[in-house]
Amino acid sequence: MNTNIYITGANTIPTQLKKVNSFNCSLIENPYNLRNALQQSSGENIIVVYLPFLEVRHFDLYSYLQKSFNNVKTIFIVNELSGPMRIRLKSNKDFIVLWKTEEENLHKDIIAYLNGKDLELRQDSRESHSPRPLLSPSLLPAGMENKGFQPILGGSFENISINGSCVKIKAPFYAKKDFINLSYQNKKGEYVQVEGQVRWTRWNANEEIQELGVQFLTQG
């Protein structure tokens, strides 16, 4: 059964969605026309809403649509979120919220949702970062819990935010809870160092790289 994707707040349908044969994509200029579109559709319905800033009026409108029609899920793609709205979204799991910087993952996130996976809002907006980092033993006392020998490894950023990053390295070396030091060049061209802890690891056998989810413990 095809999935209906209704997109509002954007000028065009994202290219990554146009290529999927199982998606029926429609651009809805006025969000208040969504009710008519949903009345005429069947199967799974996903509303993708592009917003610079998510407000209570948006929350109420799409809550109404989801309660009024079966098989409807709303995905918000936002630039910013207020503190109170973050708290509200944490306690209300009716919506999927993605940062604008994660838009390239929209197709994968829709597939994950259709397969029954829960998608949670990241704490902070994450951006791509080209300069490559160096990973080395932590300078923190807690880093003494790590292995006796730790080489300095070059890596690459999958993404980065103020509080953490996903880093890739060419060896399955680190484990969850290890403490590390990251050295890299920021967007201003300055070289900075941050201390972090590995929160999760994943081995990518196809690319032969280890992916690390790192939480920053200091600020560069």
Side-chain angles (χ1 to χ4, degrees):
M1 181 180 295
N2 285 2
T3 299
N4 303 306
I5 311 289
Y6 300 101
I7 301 161
T8 184
N11 295 323
T12 61
I13 297 173
T15 303
Q16 57 183 297
L17 299 185
K18 291 180 181 178
K19 298 178 180 179
V20 183
N21 294 330
S22 59
F23 290 172
N24 296 321
C25 297
S26 303
L27 201 62
I28 306 293
E29 184 175 348
N30 186 339
Y32 290 98
N33 292 334
L34 283 165
R35 180 171 180 173
N36 292 333
L38 292 171
Q39 286 176 334
Q40 300 173 32
S41 69
S42 60
E44 196 76 35
N45 299 297
I46 296 178
I47 304 172
V48 179
V49 186
Y50 286 82
L51 292 171
F53 200 84
L54 180 57
E55 301 177 6
V56 174
R57 60 190 178 92
H58 305 125
F59 194 99
D60 292 340
L61 169 62
Y62 294 98
S63 290
Y64 166 78
L65 290 174
Q66 291 191 170
K67 291 176 182 177
S68 301
F69 299 93
N70 295 324
N71 302 322
V72 175
K73 191 69 174 183
T74 302
I75 299 177
F76 291 113
I77 299 180
V78 301
N79 294 341
E80 298 289 343
L81 281 176
S82 66
M85 185 56 71
R86 289 195 195 200
I87 294 173
R88 187 169 185 178
L89 290 168
K90 288 289 186 182
S91 61
N92 187 308
K93 303 298 184 181
D94 289 344
F95 304 118
I96 297 171
V97 183
L98 305 175
W99 297 104
K100 186 67 168 64
T101 53
E102 299 174 295
E103 181 185 0
E104 63 183 20
N105 297 322
L106 178 59
H107 173 227
K108 291 191 294 185
D109 288 334
I110 290 176
I111 296 296
Y113 161 71
L114 293 173
N115 289 332
K117 182 178 179 181
D118 291 331
L119 301 174
E120 295 187 359
L121 172 69
R122 287 187 185 272
Q123 181 179 354
D124 299 288
S125 174
R126 293 198 171 191
E127 301 178 357
S128 59
H129 194 71
S130 298
R132 300 172 66 84
L134 287 176
L135 282 74
S136 60
S138 173
L139 302 178
L140 296 175
M144 297 301 293
E145 299 176 11
N146 287 358
K147 304 175 181 64
F149 171 72
Q150 291 182 297
I152 297 177
L153 300 171
S156 62
F157 287 114
E158 174 72 17
N159 53 52
I160 190 170
S161 75
I162 189 173
N163 288 314
S165 175
C166 176
V167 183
K168 297 180 178 181
I169 56 177
K170 284 286 186 179
F173 184 82
Y174 285 98
K176 185 178 178 181
K177 296 186 179 180
D178 279 352
F179 292 86
I180 64 173
N181 175 270
L182 275 176
S183 302
Y184 66 94
Q185 191 176 17
N186 65 18
K187 291 186 175 180
K188 296 179 181 179
E190 304 166 336
Y191 286 92
V192 297
Q193 288 190 346
V194 295
E195 302 292 332
Q197 185 178 32
V198 178
R199 307 302 295 176
W200 57 263
T201 70
R202 181 169 55 235
W203 176 248
N204 186 325
N206 292 330
E207 299 182 28
E208 295 188 345
I209 58 172
Q210 185 183 31
E211 300 173 358
L212 307 173
V214 179
Q215 178 185 1
F216 295 158
L217 304 177
T218 61
Q219 296 297 322

